[in-house]
Amino acid sequence: MRYRLLSALAAASAAIVADASPAASATYDYIVVGSGPGGGPLAADLARAGYSTLLIEAGTDQGDNPTYADIANFNEAANDETTRWDFWVRHSDDAARDLKFKHTTWDTGDGTFYVGLDPPPGAKLLGIQYPRAATLGGCAMHNAGVCSLPAADDWDTIANRTGDPSWAADNMRKYWKRIEKNEYLPAGDASHGYDGWLATSVADMSWAKNDSLPETRILKKLAELTGQNPDDVASLVNRDILAAGKDVDETTSFYSMVTHADNQGKRSSPNNYIRATLADPAKYPLTVKLNTLVTRVVFDEATVNKTGTTPRAIGVEVMEGGSLYRADPKHVANATGPVSQILARREVIVSGGTFNSPQILKLSGIGPAEELAQFNISVVADLPGVGENLGDNYEGSILAIGAAPVNSGLITLLFRTPSAPTKKRNIFTWCGAFSFEGFWPGFPTDYGPNEYTCAMVHMAPKSQAGSVRLASADPQDRPAINFRFFERHGDEDLRELVEGANLLRASFAAAGAPAVPLVEQHPCANGTDCTDAAQAEFFKLQAYSHHATSTCAIGGDGDRMAVLDSKFRVRGVRGLRVVDASAWPVVPGAFPSCPTMMLSAKAADDIIADAKQEQAA
């Protein structure tokens, strides 16, 4: 069998054989830019529907590399220069405040990084690392694989803002059932899927039956603190976190953590679905082009800036070669590649992710007119929302060092803090013998076998004030990214984080001998200065994130900041859509990877329905 795959370099995975044809000037029905949770499944779905589809990826295929294929290696994967793109972001407009972030990263000039608050003389400030993955399958190839679904309100928000009932939570569940291949429940659960392309599994939680373990004691104390029955914890920890049902978003409970991996610990991601589509005997018309950087969307000049016409996207301009984007640590200064254009008969779909999709739109003339003018980019569509509305989950952790190891499994708990503005849960936490304090080159810090952490994800953050803006008109440059943490309703979000930390901390002493005392490292260093105000200041300075969304947000016709309509179509132009995490108008739950795969499945339905309607006309 021969795979229809184009590669600019011979660096493509050995598992995929490059085909010398079609030529770079070929025309496809659809061009999809980016192979992550949004674009990868969408390209496969379009090809399986019979449409010739080109999927463009700036990186290589690492599907057979154990660093990525084995889900347990996720820390190594996120640090690996084979696929890593380093974005250096800001958390606020206050430079002095950002310099208090303990893991601020600097370029020493000798090929190494310095991470910390006291850089050596001459070191160049880089910022706060936000690693992304340039590889077939996108960031679903380097994440920890945690799979959770949005609250019903997150779906209903889109339905209400756009007036499109197809976004209602009750309707969206079908997309989860379509893509899931559940490997942890008996077949027949009507809320799950068993024949999809995305394997889901859970860890063995039998350790919770052993009352003599320090972590079982912590587990029971957490049950008491959250109104659950301590005698039932061995059962509660196996509760399905992806279950559907009334009031599920308001239920405080332990759960089994689901990952998008199979029962053998092998990562399941868009990479698997893309490769299965390429290998299928049905010979679906999917072509994958690796090591290719999209520089802009190409428009039919006859439709641009002409009275009575709407600009139409007809293809993309690409630069071919490996490590061309300057976020790639392997990038060689002044390296470029040959530039060409590839055409689409039907549509171009941008799926570059929350940072790169708005950058590509702006480089193509779609975005805030004033910003485009700064870089002498001709305006195709003045859309002020492109690159704005950047949001993320706030994340923080309570880290302690015990007198002895607290070895067992992982406690997963979703709960509501007292000051949460609604009845919905607002904290997703997981506790265990690990260390996680955010991202920097070489993360995480290993505190030894006695380390114990409860990591928190704050759901439904109230501030989405961040932005992704051009640093230049050069498509090889990174954009300027500022999350503006806590800028809106920050005191409320910080109060919820502190309340979450206080509840979790109250369980540590229950670990008992020989693990106690668990000496806290942060936010209350060595158990001192543990006032709510001190903790809030800690989280304000040290919170981190890695679930960026919403920079090309879906919205209603009357919303001037809406970039997309309810069918993912870019407003003000034709033949162009955005399908990835940037499309979310609000941050979807605690982890966006699986929700974005659902979003991708919906986009496939919308695009195919439009194509059939056009064909029938």
Side-chain angles (χ1 to χ4, degrees), residues 235-380:
S235 173
L236 290 170
V237 294
N238 288 298
R239 187 169 185 164
D240 180 17
I241 201 170
L242 303 181
K246 184 180 180 181
D247 300 329
V248 66
D249 301 326
E250 300 175 4
T251 301
T252 288
S253 181
F254 298 116
Y255 292 94
S256 55
M257 182 179 281
V258 175
T259 57
H260 50 85
D262 66 20
N263 283 329
Q264 304 304 309
K266 295 296 182 182
R267 182 184 295 274
S268 183
S269 80
N271 181 286
N272 304 89
Y273 190 35
I274 296 162
R275 288 161 65 116
T277 302
L278 290 169
D280 197 291
K283 298 183 178 179
Y284 296 117
L286 176 64
T287 301
V288 177
K289 186 173 175 64
L290 302 175
N291 288 307
T292 302
L293 181 69
V294 170
T295 59
R296 65 184 178 96
V297 176
V298 177
F299 289 88
D300 181 352
E301 288 298 326
T303 64
V304 177
N305 297 324
K306 301 295 192 298
T307 302
T309 63
T310 301
R312 179 172 181 81
I314 58 171
V316 293
E317 181 180 270
V318 301
M319 183 182 296
E320 299 186 54
S323 302
L324 292 175
Y325 197 57
R326 294 189 179 99
D328 190 327
K330 304 184 301 301
H331 176 78
V332 177
N334 302 317
T336 62
V339 176
S340 62
Q341 292 186 356
I342 309 174
L343 302 181
R345 280 182 288 268
R346 291 191 171 277
E347 294 184 9
V348 174
I349 299 123
V350 177
S351 302
T354 298
F355 298 157
N356 290 106
S357 285
Q359 181 183 23
I360 291 170
L361 291 187
K362 290 179 180 183
L363 292 171
S364 308
I366 300 172
E370 291 184 6
E371 181 181 350
L372 301 183
Q374 294 175 29
F375 301 102
N376 297 315
I377 298 173
S378 298
V379 176
V380 174

Side-chain angles (χ1 to χ4, degrees), residues 563-574:
V563 177
L564 311 176
D565 69 9
S566 70
K567 305 298 184 186
F568 304 90
R569 294 176 290 221
V570 177
R571 294 179 177 276
V573 298
R574 294 181 293 151

